[in-house]
Amino acid sequence: MTSLAALRIPPGIRVFRKIADFRAWRRQILLSGQSLGYVPTMGALHQGHLALVSAAQRQCDRVALSIFVNPAQFSPTEDLASYPRTMEADLEKLAATVTEAAVLVPTIEEMYPCGIPLDVARQKGTFVEVKGFSHMLEGVTRPHFFRGVATVVSKFLNIVQPEEVFFGQKDVQQCLVIRRMIRDLHFDVKMNVCPTVRDPSSGLALSSRNVYLTDTQRPYALALYQALTHMKALYDQNQRHAPTLIEAATAIIDKARDQVRANNCDWDLKLDYISINSPDDLSDITGDISNGCVMSGAIFVGKTRLIDNLLVDVQI
Ligand code: AMP
């Protein structure tokens, strides 16, 4: 990362590199009787992140963010090294969104004092697992992902001690994992889930990883959202049988994949999963979904893995 000394920091934004310095700032806010809203991020900020920041500003007196690309949630074969890091642009976007915010940008060494090799078998120290919520859906392709997320969020909740914390519905399983963790570990914080922000013209869910998509791949990346909205349209026409909906959604992804292949692209489009689950415990719904559900999926567009979801007649 660019050293903080070399960064241009816009007015209104305070950047903390050391946890102790952030804590001193936080203590003053507590003493002044103000509430603190907190948004955890990995940076490469876009309108999805900024919507969480705006919600935090509306609901709380003060706003804090963390920007930390968390090694513990990447597998050795994933994109930790190439994950977009755009600190200066992030701070500019933040300053254009809120008049005032604190940004915690801790070092890996301070966050993981025992070190954090990506190979889980070699890791030492304390990790948080949310059993029963982490192994399905995203957890099939990314078996240690939610362990990494739950661990880093619990560290940050201990450091930041916000009154309220803000997450995006875009990562719906993450929301359910964190909600379970907050309840189980008695974190004294109110959790807010904000709606997914999409590209206004195409509907593509905003994601820091969208920058990996080439111009040719971009239109095909929409196949997942189209598959999910098709399921929702069928549901609205009273089709309530989960396997029928999944079949219809899979056909849309298959069609996009066939087009990619017919166009002789040098990359492939692959379905990871399309699933219909209970919003309570993410268990598969294999029959009738009249009581509402989470429709979610993941596809690979070339090397880029994209996720998306719709909440159907439920809130999380
Ligand atoms: P990340 O930086 O990807 O870890 O995301 C940080 C937070 O932003 C998480 O709570 C995400 O769910 C949320 N987020 C990411 N993309 C979006 C989006 N398109 N709409 C709403 N929230 C989002």
Side-chain angles (χ1 to χ4, degrees):
M1 197 200 92
T2 328
S3 95
L4 287 188
L7 271 184
R8 214 187 71 76
I9 299 178
I13 306 300
R14 292 196 61 170
V15 180
F16 296 95
R17 187 71 163 150
K18 291 209 168 73
I19 292 170
D21 293 342
F22 178 86
R23 281 195 154 134
W25 174 85
R26 201 278 171 257
R27 200 170 304 120
Q28 287 312 311
I29 289 180
L30 182 69
L31 291 175
S32 67
Q34 294 182 308
S35 61
L36 180 63
Y38 165 56
V39 181
T41 82
M42 298 210 297
L45 300 186
H46 51 65
Q47 289 302 324
H49 299 111
L50 298 173
L52 304 185
V53 171
S54 299
Q57 192 180 44
R58 277 195 305 277
Q59 285 176 220
C60 302
D61 299 318
R62 307 291 290 272
V63 176
L65 260 84
S66 52
I67 294 183
F68 182 67
V69 181
N70 173 35
Q73 68 194 65
F74 287 78
S75 80
T77 57
E78 288 179 337
D79 57 341
L80 174 63
S82 59
Y83 193 85
R85 289 161 171 89
T86 57
M87 186 61 70
E88 205 153 87
D90 288 353
L91 299 182
E92 289 296 338
K93 287 178 191 171
L94 198 54
T97 307
V98 286
T99 46
E100 182 261 352
V103 186
L104 173 60
V105 189
T107 60
I108 294 175
E109 292 72 26
E110 213 182 356
M111 288 299 284
Y112 291 98
C114 295
I116 185 71
L118 302 191
D119 175 4
V120 169
R122 292 177 43 230
Q123 291 175 355
K124 290 183 189 157
T126 306
F127 292 86
V128 178
E129 265 181 46
V130 183
K131 296 217 177 247
F133 286 73
S134 304
H135 61 286
M136 70 285 266
L137 303 174
E138 287 299 287
V140 174
T141 301
R142 312 180 79 189
H144 307 297
F145 175 71
F146 290 114
R147 172 179 178 271
V149 170
T151 299
V152 83
V153 172
S154 60
K155 285 171 188 264
F156 275 123
L157 288 178
N158 280 328
I159 294 164
V160 178
Q161 308 221 343
E163 273 72 30
E164 302 199 24
V165 64
F166 296 78
F167 289 92
Q169 182 209 313
K170 151 100 186 340
D171 299 276
V172 65
Q173 189 175 4
Q174 171 168 288
C175 291
L176 294 173
V177 165
I178 298 297
R179 170 157 289 149
R180 188 69 263 151
M181 182 190 84
I182 284 174
R183 289 184 179 154
D184 289 349
L185 296 184
H186 301 280
F187 282 105
D188 190 12
V189 64
K190 177 180 172 215
M191 176 168 167
N192 299 274
V193 176
C194 301
T196 302
V197 178
R198 299 180 179 281
D199 178 82
S201 53
S202 68
L204 183 68
L206 300 188
S207 160
S208 304
R209 287 192 167 98
N210 288 353
V211 297
Y212 297 150
L213 297 169
T214 63
D215 287 347
T216 342
Q217 289 173 337
R218 228 159 221 282
Y220 293 104
L222 272 175
L224 178 56
Y225 182 53
Q226 285 161 352
L228 295 172
T229 47
H230 183 56
M231 286 202 287
K232 172 71 168 61
L234 293 176
Y235 172 93
D236 289 340
Q237 292 159 26
N238 259 334
Q239 174 53 264
R240 300 294 159 94
H241 184 237
T244 306
L245 294 174
I246 291 176
E247 207 179 297
T250 305
I252 289 184
I253 307 284
D254 287 350
K255 197 168 148 203
R257 182 207 53 210
D258 293 345
Q259 283 169 0
V260 168
R261 291 184 182 171
N263 287 338
N264 288 321
C265 297
D266 57 358
W267 50 274
D268 204 3
L269 187 148
K270 272 192 274 187
L271 175 64
D272 188 346
Y273 67 86
I274 293 276
S275 190
I276 295 187
N277 298 75
S278 153
D280 303 325
D281 59 1
L282 286 176
S283 56
D284 272 335
I285 305 181
T286 51
D288 183 79
I289 53 169
S290 293
N291 291 333
C293 63
V294 180
M295 295 175 169
S296 67
I299 59 172
F300 287 94
V301 181
K303 288 192 177 130
T304 308
R305 187 168 179 281
L306 301 174
I307 62 171
D308 202 349
N309 70 82
L310 295 177
L311 299 180
V312 178
D313 287 343
V314 289
Q315 289 190 323
I316 56 160

